[in-house]
Amino acid sequence: MKALISVDMEGISGIVHSSETNPERYDYQRGRELMTAEANAVIAGVLDAEPTADVLVADAHGTFRNLLPEQLDRRARLVRGKPRALNMLAGLDEETDAALFVGYHVRAGEGPGVLAHTMNGEILDVRMTVNAPSEDVRTAGRSLGEIGLNAAMAGHLGVPVVLLSGDDAACAEAAELIPEAVTVPVKEALGMAAAVTLHPEEARDRLRRAAADAVSRRTEIPPLALTGPLDVEVDLASPHTIDLATLVPGVSRTAGARTVAFTAPDYGTAYRLILLLAQLATIRPA
């Protein structure tokens, strides 16, 4: 059995402020330790259920160099650094049996949600519509954040997302898309930088139990698969990023001042184009 654990930082118990998630801020080291400890709890839960499992952990926050390798459970392998294929899901493939999302957050524009955003903050909204018959159109025409985008990429490879943890808003977003998945709210969002949070040790105990349960029930949880061509609209924060985006073949500016659009033949192509648009946002005018 192969499992991929994708670990973000904003949805970790105890974390409420960017000073705990930003490498340039004073409280970042503490945030790294909390993040690593929750990853270890989920690794332990997966191996409680499947002692011989092959467990990959994808560091999925910011630089992708946040988890402390020397403190990570030695039974797992760590994927860290960027750029890399599949971004937050690096290591995922068709042979993976289950994906687990740890420390995730609600999408941009939703809330209250702790540190809500989509990718690097340049993407304000992603709307996706299947323009051909599909077995699963739960995301058709609706806004997607990192939870939906990554869950659908896993589904494109036939992999179910069996567990998600984060604040209550993130768990609610996941439950709408993947109602069969196990969700673990480790804090109740009061705003962008405030929450009622579980004690970190309590959160880890819950995560370990939930991960074991989720992996045990993986065959009962269907992948979130979007099939057929997709019409995609992406709202971007910076006019400069929009200018760069229109240089990509197939991407055009729409009537909306902040919106670009494209049609993708399949979800894998759509996902990679969205990652490219986020990366273009890091290029500043000369």
Coordinates of all heavy atoms in Angstrom, one line a residue, residues 1 3 5 39-55 73 75 100 204-218:
M1 N 0.9 -1.2 0.0 CA 0.0 0.0 0.0 C 0.9 1.2 0.0 O 1.9 1.3 0.7 CB -0.9 0.0 1.2 CG -1.9 1.1 1.3 SD -1.3 2.5 2.3 CE -2.7 3.6 2.1
A3 N 1.0 5.5 0.3 CA 0.2 6.7 0.7 C 1.1 7.9 0.5 O 2.3 7.9 0.7 CB -0.2 6.6 2.2
I5 N 1.2 11.8 1.8 CA 0.7 12.8 2.8 C 1.2 14.2 2.4 O 2.4 14.4 2.4 CB 1.2 12.5 4.2 CG1 0.8 11.0 4.6 CG2 0.7 13.5 5.2 CD1 1.5 10.6 5.9
A39 N 2.6 16.0 11.0 CA 2.9 15.1 9.9 C 3.3 13.7 10.5 O 2.8 12.7 10.0 CB 4.1 15.6 9.1
N40 N 4.0 13.7 11.6 CA 4.4 12.5 12.2 C 3.2 11.7 12.8 O 3.1 10.5 12.7 CB 5.4 12.7 13.4 CG 6.8 13.0 12.9 OD1 7.2 12.6 11.8 ND2 7.6 13.7 13.7
A41 N 2.2 12.5 13.3 CA 1.0 11.8 13.8 C 0.3 11.1 12.7 O -0.2 10.0 12.9 CB 0.1 12.9 14.5
V42 N 0.2 11.7 11.5 CA -0.5 11.1 10.4 C 0.3 9.9 9.9 O -0.3 8.9 9.5 CB -0.8 12.1 9.3 CG1 -1.4 11.5 8.1 CG2 -1.7 13.2 9.9
I43 N 1.6 10.0 9.8 CA 2.5 8.9 9.4 C 2.2 7.7 10.3 O 2.0 6.6 9.8 CB 4.0 9.3 9.4 CG1 4.3 10.3 8.4 CG2 4.8 8.0 9.2 CD1 5.7 11.0 8.6
A44 N 2.2 8.0 11.6 CA 2.0 6.9 12.6 C 0.6 6.3 12.4 O 0.5 5.0 12.5 CB 2.1 7.5 14.0
G45 N -0.4 7.1 12.1 CA -1.8 6.5 11.9 C -1.8 5.7 10.6 O -2.5 4.6 10.7
V46 N -1.2 6.1 9.6 CA -1.2 5.3 8.3 C -0.5 3.9 8.6 O -1.0 2.9 8.2 CB -0.4 6.0 7.2 CG1 -0.2 5.1 6.0 CG2 -1.2 7.2 6.8
L47 N 0.6 4.0 9.4 CA 1.3 2.7 9.6 C 0.7 1.9 10.7 O 0.9 0.7 10.8 CB 2.8 3.1 10.0 CG 3.6 3.7 8.8 CD1 4.9 4.2 9.3 CD2 3.8 2.6 7.7
D48 N -0.2 2.5 11.6 CA -1.0 1.7 12.5 C -1.9 0.8 11.7 O -2.1 -0.4 12.0 CB -1.8 2.6 13.4 CG -1.0 3.3 14.5 OD1 0.2 2.9 14.7 OD2 -1.5 4.3 15.0
A49 N -2.5 1.4 10.6 CA -3.5 0.6 9.8 C -2.8 -0.3 8.8 O -3.3 -1.4 8.6 CB -4.4 1.6 9.1
E50 N -1.6 0.1 8.3 CA -0.9 -0.6 7.2 C 0.6 -0.6 7.6 O 1.3 0.2 7.1 CB -1.2 0.0 5.9 CG -2.6 -0.1 5.4 CD -2.9 -1.4 4.8 OE1 -2.0 -2.3 4.6 OE2 -4.1 -1.7 4.6
P51 N 1.0 -1.5 8.4 CA 2.4 -1.5 8.9 C 3.5 -1.6 7.8 O 4.6 -1.1 8.1 CB 2.5 -2.7 9.9 CG 1.1 -2.9 10.3 CD 0.2 -2.6 9.1
T52 N 3.1 -2.1 6.7 CA 4.1 -2.2 5.6 C 4.0 -1.2 4.5 O 4.6 -1.3 3.4 CB 4.1 -3.6 5.0 OG1 2.8 -3.8 4.4 CG2 4.3 -4.7 6.0
A53 N 3.2 -0.2 4.8 CA 2.9 0.9 3.8 C 4.2 1.6 3.4 O 5.1 1.9 4.2 CB 1.8 1.8 4.3
D54 N 4.2 2.0 2.1 CA 5.2 2.9 1.6 C 4.6 4.3 1.8 O 3.7 4.7 1.1 CB 5.5 2.6 0.2 CG 6.5 3.6 -0.5 OD1 7.2 4.3 0.3 OD2 6.6 3.6 -1.7
V55 N 5.2 5.2 2.7 CA 4.7 6.5 3.0 C 5.6 7.6 2.5 O 6.7 7.6 2.9 CB 4.4 6.6 4.5 CG1 3.8 8.0 4.8 CG2 3.5 5.5 5.0
D73 N 9.4 11.3 11.2 CA 9.3 9.8 11.4 C 10.2 9.1 10.3 O 10.0 9.3 9.1 CB 7.9 9.3 11.3 CG 7.7 7.9 11.8 OD1 8.6 7.0 11.4 OD2 6.7 7.6 12.5
R75 N 10.3 6.3 9.2 CA 9.7 5.2 8.4 C 9.1 5.8 7.1 O 8.7 5.1 6.2 CB 8.6 4.6 9.2 CG 9.1 3.8 10.4 CD 8.0 3.3 11.3 NE 7.2 4.4 11.9 CZ 6.1 4.2 12.6 NH1 5.6 2.9 12.8 NH2 5.5 5.2 13.2
L100 N -3.5 12.0 1.7 CA -4.0 12.6 2.9 C -3.5 14.0 3.0 O -2.3 14.3 2.8 CB -3.5 11.8 4.1 CG -3.9 10.3 4.2 CD1 -2.9 9.4 3.5 CD2 -4.0 9.9 5.7
R204 N -2.8 16.0 17.6 CA -2.0 14.9 17.0 C -2.7 13.5 17.4 O -2.7 12.6 16.5 CB -0.6 14.9 17.6 CG 0.2 16.1 17.1 CD 1.4 16.3 17.9 NE 1.9 17.7 17.9 CZ 2.6 18.3 18.8 NH1 3.1 17.6 19.8 NH2 3.0 19.6 18.7
D205 N -3.2 13.4 18.6 CA -3.9 12.2 18.9 C -5.1 11.9 18.0 O -5.3 10.8 17.5 CB -4.4 12.2 20.4 CG -3.3 12.1 21.4 OD1 -2.2 11.7 21.0 OD2 -3.5 12.4 22.6
R206 N -5.9 13.0 17.7 CA -7.0 12.8 16.8 C -6.6 12.5 15.4 O -7.2 11.7 14.7 CB -7.9 14.1 16.8 CG -8.5 14.4 18.2 CD -9.4 15.6 18.1 NE -9.9 16.0 19.4 CZ -10.9 16.9 19.7 NH1 -11.5 17.5 18.6 NH2 -11.2 17.2 20.9
L207 N -5.5 13.1 15.0 CA -5.0 12.9 13.6 C -4.5 11.5 13.4 O -4.8 10.8 12.4 CB -3.9 13.9 13.3 CG -4.3 15.3 12.9 CD1 -3.1 16.2 12.9 CD2 -5.0 15.3 11.6
R208 N -3.8 11.0 14.4 CA -3.3 9.6 14.3 C -4.5 8.6 14.2 O -4.5 7.7 13.3 CB -2.5 9.2 15.5 CG -1.9 7.8 15.4 CD -0.8 7.6 16.5 NE -0.2 6.3 16.4 CZ 0.9 5.9 17.0 NH1 1.5 6.7 17.8 NH2 1.4 4.7 16.8
R209 N -5.5 8.7 15.0 CA -6.7 7.9 15.0 C -7.4 8.0 13.6 O -7.8 7.0 13.0 CB -7.6 8.1 16.1 CG -7.0 7.8 17.5 CD -8.1 7.8 18.6 NE -8.7 9.1 18.7 CZ -8.3 10.0 19.6 NH1 -7.3 9.8 20.4 NH2 -8.9 11.2 19.7
A210 N -7.6 9.3 13.2 CA -8.3 9.5 12.0 C -7.6 9.0 10.8 O -8.2 8.5 9.8 CB -8.6 11.0 11.8
A211 N -6.3 9.1 10.7 CA -5.5 8.6 9.6 C -5.6 7.1 9.5 O -5.8 6.6 8.4 CB -4.0 9.0 9.7
A212 N -5.5 6.4 10.6 CA -5.7 5.0 10.6 C -7.1 4.6 10.1 O -7.2 3.7 9.2 CB -5.5 4.4 12.0
D213 N -8.1 5.3 10.5 CA -9.5 5.0 10.1 C -9.6 5.3 8.6 O -10.2 4.5 7.8 CB -10.4 5.8 10.9 CG -11.9 5.7 10.4 OD1 -12.3 4.5 10.3 OD2 -12.6 6.7 10.3
A214 N -9.1 6.4 8.2 CA -9.2 6.8 6.8 C -8.6 5.9 5.8 O -9.1 5.5 4.8 CB -8.7 8.2 6.6
V215 N -7.3 5.4 6.1 CA -6.6 4.5 5.3 C -7.3 3.1 5.3 O -7.4 2.5 4.2 CB -5.2 4.4 5.8 CG1 -4.5 3.2 5.1 CG2 -4.4 5.6 5.5
S216 N -7.9 2.7 6.4 CA -8.6 1.5 6.4 C -9.8 1.5 5.5 O -10.3 0.4 5.0 CB -9.0 1.1 7.9 OG -7.9 1.0 8.7
R217 N -10.4 2.7 5.3 CA -11.6 2.8 4.5 C -11.4 3.3 3.1 O -12.3 3.8 2.5 CB -12.7 3.7 5.3 CG -13.1 3.1 6.6 CD -14.4 3.8 7.1 NE -14.2 5.2 7.5 CZ -14.7 6.2 6.7 NH1 -15.3 6.0 5.6 NH2 -14.5 7.4 7.1
R218 N -10.2 3.3 2.7 CA -9.8 4.0 1.4 C -10.6 3.4 0.2 O -10.8 4.2 -0.7 CB -8.3 3.8 1.2 CG -7.8 2.4 1.0 CD -6.3 2.4 0.9 NE -5.7 1.1 0.7 CZ -5.5 0.2 1.7 NH1 -5.7 0.6 3.0 NH2 -5.0 -1.0 1.5

